[in-house]
Amino acid sequence: MSHSTTLPKAAPARVLACGAYLKNRACLIDGPRVLWSASHGDLIGAESREALDESVEQLLREASGPLHAVAHDLHPDFHSTHVAQALAARLGIPAIAVQHHHAHIAVVQAEQAVEGPVIGLALDGVGLGEDGSAWGGEVLWVDSSTAAHRWSRVDHLAPLLLPGADTAAREPWRMAAAVLHRIGRADEIEARFSPVVGEQAARLVRSLLEHKINSPSTTSAGRWFDAAAGALGLSVRQSVEAEAAMLVEQQARVWLQAHPGFDMPWRSLDLAPLVAELFSIGDQGVGSSSRGAALFHLGLANGLAHSAIEAARSHDTQTVVLGGGCFFNQVLSERLSATLRDADLVVLRPQSVDCGDAGLALGQAWVAACTLLADHSLQSPVEV
């Protein structure tokens, strides 16, 4: 049922981690071994939840000795969190919450035994932040591999409102409307979007944004991609996760292959002025959308690179770690990595697992193990 990989450095404690809410997969770190459960998919239906329950019991049976802790996401309402807390209570051991984007970076620290602190760029759709808001475009500092529980948020993408909350993640036009609101052009929302979504929906979204009703804030890179797709007219509603972002990437690739020297000087993590330009580009028709998509990708990559380079200098490190589902995007990954390497930085990303949530449990487990190591530092070492 489970399969194992080997870490270059033995884990400082024996920890079972219950993984993410989406693309869930649990794991156990046990000395140099990582035992992985099967993939359970998204923890929405009873079947996937029961599969996680069974996997956790199987991993527990495969452990070489008693667990020292159980790790889980910071979000209190996830089924994986409930499973972890129940198991910890049953075994009389700590349940340790690990912030989602912190865990993405720790995946690489665990699997590659990274020496010294790192700057982590964690980009995805959503993860609960320490401040209670939705994160997803994060620049983090994380201490060296055996002290990976020590971390801080250095920078982040500018926040956008989510008009209609979760609905906004499925309807990119809403995120484009949020950009118009952010730059003081909310009076354009109804005229621009009524023809594609109806007057009532457009008026509602404008009202939600102006009154900040049911419109939480997010720094999510995924939602910025949605905004770009909506501004370019590439996507109104998504039928599958990340559909809009993939459309923007496809368009950008077309343009960049035809214009290999193309660039977009940009140093800010506030992409609103850039997305504002995409509205006029989108109005020029489908043929121009590939140029707009390329502008967005290069602006995002250059803004992130500038922030990461500054953070690396101020925190005296040469290593940048990339984590989170947005790095499935090859245009973004390649452009950003090249710019960072040109600044003499080492760029690392997950190798044994993908960069998305399916590998998150390893980071959760590693951070929890480091937490235990620190807690026991004045006593006897944790035995593994």
Side-chain angles (χ1 to χ4, degrees):
M1 177 219 141
S2 60
H3 82 274
S4 65
T5 56
T6 303
L7 297 174
K9 178 184 284 187
R14 192 179 299 110
V15 178
L16 193 157
C18 290
Y21 178 68
L22 301 176
K23 303 175 186 67
N24 178 269
R25 205 173 170 208
C27 86
L28 169 72
I29 54 173
D30 191 349
R33 293 190 307 158
V34 182
L35 280 74
W36 285 98
S37 76
S39 176
H40 308 121
D42 301 345
L43 298 180
I44 296 170
E47 187 176 343
S48 60
R49 295 182 178 204
E50 289 166 8
L52 172 61
D53 298 345
E54 292 168 7
S55 290
V56 164
E57 294 303 324
Q58 178 66 27
L59 289 171
L60 189 57
R61 287 191 291 271
E62 295 185 37
S64 66
L67 294 186
H68 298 114
V70 187
H72 60 85
D73 191 86
L74 193 60
H75 201 297
D77 299 329
F78 289 168
H79 178 70
S80 50
T81 299
H82 298 160
V83 170
Q85 291 172 339
L87 178 62
R90 189 176 103 205
L91 299 177
I93 58 177
I96 298 176
V98 181
Q99 198 278 327
H100 186 92
H101 302 97
H102 180 197
H104 270 309
I105 305 308
V107 169
V108 173
Q109 294 181 292
E111 71 161 13
Q112 299 175 41
V114 182
E115 291 299 326
V118 304
I119 298 302
L121 297 178
L123 309 182
D124 60 10
V126 66
L128 182 67
E130 287 208 318
D131 61 0
S133 70
W135 291 7
E138 309 309 312
V139 184
L140 308 178
W141 170 85
V142 187
D143 209 344
S144 57
S145 62
T146 51
H149 62 292
R150 287 168 33 86
W151 70 291
S152 62
R153 189 190 199 195
V154 177
D155 208 346
H156 55 81
L157 293 180
L160 277 178
L161 296 180
L162 289 160
D166 290 347
T167 304
R170 299 188 292 272
E171 300 185 4
W173 75 272
R174 291 177 180 247
M175 298 313 303
V179 172
L180 288 175
H181 171 264
R182 180 178 169 83
I183 60 176
R185 290 166 53 183
D187 56 349
E188 297 178 28
I189 291 173
E190 289 165 73
R192 180 171 288 278
F193 294 110
S194 290
V196 285
V197 301
E199 189 178 332
Q200 186 176 358
R203 187 184 301 124
L204 172 63
V205 162
R206 179 182 178 182
S207 178
L208 292 176
L209 289 165
E210 290 187 332
H211 297 97
K212 294 189 178 179
I213 298 169
N214 194 27
S215 298
S217 176
T218 183
T219 57
S220 165
R223 301 294 77 78
W224 275 104
F225 270 100
D226 291 348
L232 289 168
L234 294 174
S235 177
V236 177
R237 294 182 179 86
Q238 305 190 76
S239 55
V240 295
E241 183 193 2
E243 180 180 53
M246 289 188 283
L247 287 170
V248 178
E249 181 189 6
Q250 288 166 10
Q251 291 289 317
R253 184 179 290 109
V254 168
W255 180 268
L256 293 171
Q257 284 173 347
H259 305 83
F262 188 71
D263 203 357
M264 172 63 189
W266 196 263
R267 296 164 68 90
S268 173
L269 291 185
D270 185 356
L271 303 170
L274 184 56
V275 175
E277 294 295 317
L278 303 187
F279 284 101
S280 57
I281 292 173
D283 291 340
Q284 295 166 22
V286 177
S288 62
S289 62
S290 60
R291 176 176 171 270
L295 283 171
F296 176 77
H297 273 79
L298 297 181
L300 175 59
N302 289 335
L304 287 166
H306 176 72
S307 179
I309 291 165
E310 292 289 303
R313 286 174 180 156
S314 62
H315 291 83
D316 195 25
T317 178
Q318 294 294 112
T319 306
V320 178
V321 171
L322 310 183
C326 287
F327 287 112
F328 286 122
N329 182 317
Q330 292 183 351
V331 173
L332 174 64
S333 298
E334 290 167 8
R335 288 284 175 149
L336 176 57
S337 297
T339 305
L340 293 171
R341 291 186 181 114
D342 286 346
D344 296 323
L345 296 173
V346 176
V347 182
L348 303 176
R349 55 183 295 159
Q351 300 297 319
S352 62
V353 294
D354 69 45
C355 59
D357 285 359
L360 194 76
L362 175 56
Q364 291 176 341
W366 190 262
V367 170
C370 293
T371 302
L372 288 180
L373 180 65
D375 288 346
H376 286 76
S377 60
L378 300 180
Q379 305 166 30
S380 60
V382 176
E383 296 177 6
V384 293

